Amino acid sequence: MRHLGAPDCVPTARRITPAGHGLSVRHDTGRPDGTKSTIRSGFPPLPKPGNPVRLPASLAAMIAAHDIHTPTKVHMKLQMKVRTMAMAVTATVLATAVQAQIKIGLVIPASGPLRQYGTMIQEGVGTAVEQVNAAGGINGQQVQTVVFDDACNPGKAPGTANRLLDAKVRYVIGPVCSGAAIAAAPIYDSQRVVVVTPSATSPSLTSGMDYHYIFRTIGQDNEQGEAAAKFIMEKIKPRKIALLHDKQSYGRGIANTARKLLSRAGAEVALYEGITPGGKDYSDVIARIKNAGIDFVYFGGYHTEMGVLLRQAKEAGLNARMMGPEGVGNSEINAIAGPAVEGMLVTLPADFAANPKNAATVKAFEAKKRNASSAFGLTSYAAAQVIMDSIKAVGDDTQLVADYMHKTTFQTPLGPTSWDAGGDLKSFEFPVFEWHQDGSKTVVK
């Protein structure tokens, strides 16, 4: 299009390109004497420099409608309009790039005494996400993880869920602890947030709840309790048993399961008692165990209390063997219990890292100095994998993702992985391990 009085003044550029440390809108115009002038305006860099972005038709029309070689005020006014509109274009591109990321929330204890479990989940999920992003992401989109700290506290869990919703996160790995998972699950399910917990084992999370969006990549306490009870009766054959728990959903639940199964098998449960979580002195209950002639103790809870029980039992001369669920299988227990930890029995997920089929995955962990053999390292890797595989298959839509997960068998480091209608794994095993003072563990045959 030609302008009266300036027949050669025709805009020739229509793109935003990188210039130095930012962007410039470049507008070359012909002068009557055959030379050209250029207007440059600096803007923040685009996410992918070099990709052309077409200016809106309104901006192009505005440029065409003005002779920039008229008086200076008009020239400056045009520059300002060009700058304003191009900044809007850049902001739109940046916003689109941010929205293009697929966010997965990690709801973990990033603080408090159970934070090492959160580290296990971060290592497992981080390894899976890094591999996917390095291969180009999911349908061209990169995956971003966002940490939300619930400290494994059921009282904080609903607030954490709402913060996650406010952040527009629609996929969750966690919560780590059963109590927190139970408290937050109704919020996640009602808001169609896909949740896969790699560690919450309480049956109460899913039993009778009819959730569609809640899954786990670990077995339940009834399976773990059954494995423990069978081992105790067939291998240990104790005379008298004490069952202790930490009065919380997870610990009390698994202790109740063990009590029921042991009683059914004919074992004498001489003591059943709750202890104060976070306590530093359990000498009273240890004295009662010793005086009652109890020779085996099963504790439902976490490593922090179990470590104290082991240490103080040894100091009191109590020779009873002690056992716990996967919650006590944490390397930090060695620092708490000291030499008394040697020989502790614990039910844990199988050591999937020892499976030769997982060698490449284990190598990816080791390359980042991560522990694939931790209690939840590969269950959390699998949790991330099934979410990302589902998004790749059906798109970034949580209802479609949940539907796909319910009907699909995934090949994960855990083996073939599929769920029943309630979001529980169709099969999962809890072998019994013996814990050692150096932090290692061996399967008890």
Side-chain angles (χ1 to χ4, degrees):
M1 177 169 58
R2 291 177 177 269
H3 292 263
L4 295 178
D8 296 318
C9 183
V10 181
T12 60
R14 290 290 188 275
R15 58 184 286 164
I16 299 177
T17 55
H21 296 290
L23 296 173
S24 67
V25 174
R26 181 184 176 97
H27 175 214
D28 292 334
T29 60
R31 288 176 173 154
D33 62 0
T35 62
K36 292 184 177 181
S37 66
T38 299
I39 300 173
R40 294 182 186 270
S41 299
F43 306 103
L46 285 173
K48 294 182 179 179
N51 289 346
V53 179
R54 295 186 178 278
L55 297 180
S58 57
L59 177 56
M62 183 196 72
I63 294 173
H66 289 273
D67 178 357
I68 66 168
H69 299 295
T70 53
T72 304
K73 288 184 179 179
V74 175
H75 187 169
M76 292 177 65
K77 183 177 181 181
L78 175 60
Q79 283 186 309
M80 183 60 69
K81 289 183 178 180
V82 169
R83 179 179 290 108
T84 300
M85 295 191 71
M87 287 180 72
V89 173
T90 303
T92 300
V93 173
L94 288 168
T96 301
V98 171
Q99 291 170 358
Q101 290 179 322
I102 296 171
K103 294 182 180 180
I104 297 179
L106 307 187
V107 181
I108 61 175
S111 61
L114 303 179
R115 60 187 177 277
Q116 191 174 3
Y117 297 115
T119 300
M120 295 177 189
I121 275 65
Q122 285 181 291
E123 290 186 348
V125 175
T127 303
V129 168
E130 286 162 5
Q131 290 179 316
V132 167
N133 284 341
I138 301 175
N139 303 327
Q141 296 175 299
Q142 292 285 286
V143 180
Q144 176 189 11
T145 57
V146 186
V147 172
F148 295 85
D149 181 16
D150 67 359
C152 268
N153 186 330
K156 294 182 178 180
T160 303
N162 285 317
R163 289 199 305 275
L164 185 141
L165 291 170
D166 291 342
K168 308 300 182 186
V169 176
R170 293 296 179 264
Y171 304 97
V172 167
I173 296 172
V176 170
C177 297
S178 291
I182 292 167
I187 298 173
Y188 291 130
D189 195 74
S190 67
Q191 297 303 307
R192 299 184 177 182
V193 176
V194 175
V195 172
V196 184
T197 175
S199 51
T201 54
S202 173
S204 298
L205 174 61
T206 52
S207 180
M209 302 308 297
D210 196 29
Y211 290 143
H212 186 66
Y213 296 86
I214 310 298
F215 302 81
R216 49 179 143 202
T217 50
I218 195 167
Q220 300 182 60
D221 286 339
N222 49 10
E223 297 166 311
Q224 189 171 195
E226 183 175 353
K230 182 179 180 181
F231 180 87
I232 292 168
M233 296 304 294
E234 293 181 0
K235 302 293 184 180
I236 303 297
K237 301 177 181 179
R239 297 186 307 277
K240 291 183 178 180
I241 300 172
L243 289 174
L244 306 178
H245 62 80
D246 63 359
K247 303 179 183 178
Q248 300 184 74
S249 296
Y250 164 68
R252 183 173 56 246
I254 197 166
N256 285 339
T257 299
R259 181 186 192 183
K260 179 177 65 176
L261 294 171
L262 287 168
S263 297
R264 185 183 300 169
E268 182 183 349
V269 178
L271 180 68
Y272 178 85
E273 188 167 328
I275 63 173
T276 303
K280 302 301 181 184
D281 184 3
Y282 299 127
S283 56
D284 286 348
V285 70
I286 289 171
R288 289 200 298 278
I289 292 171
K290 187 176 181 180
N291 292 336
I294 290 169
D295 57 343
F296 191 86
V297 178
Y298 184 87
F299 171 67
Y302 294 102
H303 71 281
T304 46
E305 291 76 23
M306 183 62 146
V308 176
L309 285 168
L310 286 165
R311 188 185 73 247
Q312 294 182 347
K314 187 175 183 65
E315 292 169 350
L318 176 64
N319 295 319
R321 194 85 181 266
M322 292 196 181
M323 185 177 192
E326 94 289 348
V328 307
N330 186 314
S331 60
E332 287 187 355
I333 195 171
N334 293 60
I336 300 170
V341 79
E342 181 65 39
M344 177 187 75
L345 298 170
V346 55
T347 47
L348 288 168
D351 187 3
F352 301 109
N355 187 335
K357 293 181 179 180
N358 293 330
T361 301
V362 172
K363 187 175 180 180
F365 272 77
E366 292 174 345
K368 294 295 183 73
K369 298 185 178 353
R370 296 166 180 165
N371 183 12
S373 294
S374 68
F376 309 127
L378 288 176
T379 60
S380 57
Y381 180 101
Q385 180 191 329
V386 296
I387 288 176
M388 294 188 293
D389 284 355
S390 299
I391 296 171
K392 184 175 182 180
V394 299
D396 187 5
D397 182 306
T398 59
Q399 182 171 342
L400 296 179
V401 166
D403 291 345
Y404 185 78
M405 288 174 62
H406 275 291
K407 66 183 182 182
T408 303
T409 298
F410 298 83
Q411 297 302 319
T412 76
L414 314 184
T417 302
S418 59
W419 295 271
D420 61 21
D424 291 309
L425 289 172
K426 290 181 179 179
S427 64
F428 196 88
E429 293 184 1
F430 286 98
V432 176
F433 291 81
E434 187 175 49
W435 201 268
H436 303 296
Q437 189 177 345
D438 62 2
S440 65
K441 60 184 185 292
T442 53
V443 176
V444 182
K445 301 296 185 181

